[in-house]
Amino acid sequence: EPAEKKKVEKSCDEVYFRRHVTLLMDRLGLSGEPEAKHLKVEVYLTENEVKTLQKFRERSSSGDIYDVDHIVANMIKSKELFTPPVYHFWENVKEISRDIRDPLIVLCLVVCLAYVLVFSTRYFSIRKILFVFCIGCVGWHWLHMYKKAWAVKKSKLMAHTHDLPAECRPDQMTWSQTISVSVKGWF
């Protein structure tokens, strides 16, 4: 009789195991043609469900198999194909070069300025060198102020994009809005 009891338990376990394998395959979309899949799966379990599964695993208390069956059947909330991030060397180089462009320009200008100062003192007087240096500083300061004002203006525009009329955002206009604005512009 113990051998028959083991066979019955084994067949019951096997039935539940097959049921869960079938359920998992259906929930994960693996029922079609066999192919390699890499999936991201979201599993959600409440605290009580975790306790029930732990009790069932330990077999210390007779956990209700139907509760465990319901938990395992409904624990997968979502799935999606996993796409690993692609490393693009040139895109990273472009991004880094954008970030260090201004410091490199400043460094090159400082080196050029030092070179010019060292070699121009042989041919020009200090007054002429200071005059050119002041003109360069004024131009540099003006460029800095221009960039700062442009950044402030752009940030204000970005903060109030919902207040802008559709004509100021042509990329977001529908074709009917584009036609109506064009017709209004003719008259």
Side-chain angles (χ1 to χ4, degrees), residues 13 16 56 63-70:
D13 290 344
Y16 276 110
F56 184 76
D64 190 10
I65 196 163
Y66 297 107
D67 290 339
V68 172
D69 179 53
H70 178 72

Side-chain angles (χ1 to χ4, degrees), residues 166-168 170 173-187:
E167 297 87 28
C168 295
M173 290 173 55
T174 63
W175 63 271
S176 60
Q177 288 175 327
T178 305
I179 292 172
S180 66
V181 167
S182 299
V183 170
K184 286 178 185 176
W186 290 338
F187 297 107

Side-chain angles (χ1 to χ4, degrees), residues 46-180:
T46 64
E47 185 178 340
N48 291 333
E49 291 172 339
V50 172
K51 286 180 185 177
T52 303
L53 290 174
Q54 287 174 344
K55 285 179 185 177
F56 184 76
R57 181 189 66 191
E58 294 168 1
R59 295 183 190 248
S60 59
S61 66
S62 59
D64 190 10
I65 196 163
Y66 297 107
D67 290 339
V68 172
D69 179 53
H70 178 72
I71 292 169
V72 172
N74 295 316
M75 68 182 181
I76 296 177
K77 296 301 177 192
S78 68
K79 65 145 176 92
E80 62 184 61
L81 283 175
F82 176 75
T83 53
V86 179
Y87 178 73
H88 295 288
F89 176 74
W90 291 113
E91 289 180 15
N92 289 343
V93 168
K94 286 180 186 177
E95 185 176 325
I96 291 170
S97 66
R98 264 187 259 126
D99 293 341
I100 64 171
R101 181 182 62 201
D102 285 342
L104 280 178
I105 290 173
V106 170
L107 182 66
C108 288
L109 287 175
V110 166
V111 168
C112 289
L113 181 64
Y115 181 77
V116 167
L117 284 175
V118 168
F119 289 106
S120 65
T121 54
R122 292 183 181 176
Y123 303 108
F124 300 109
S125 67
I126 296 295
R127 281 189 193 152
K128 289 180 181 177
I129 293 173
L130 286 176
F131 178 72
V132 170
F133 182 71
C134 287
I135 289 176
C137 287
V138 168
W140 184 264
H141 188 66
W142 179 85
L143 180 66
H144 176 71
M145 290 186 338
Y146 174 77
K147 282 185 174 182
K148 194 174 183 181
W150 178 251
V152 168
K153 183 177 180 179
K154 192 171 183 178
S155 68
K156 285 181 182 177
L157 275 174
M158 294 304 289
H160 302 290
T161 54
H162 62 280
D163 296 338
L164 293 176
E167 297 87 28
C168 295
R169 297 175 281 130
D171 56 325
Q172 297 174 352
M173 290 173 55
T174 63
W175 63 271
S176 60
Q177 288 175 327
T178 305
I179 292 172
S180 66

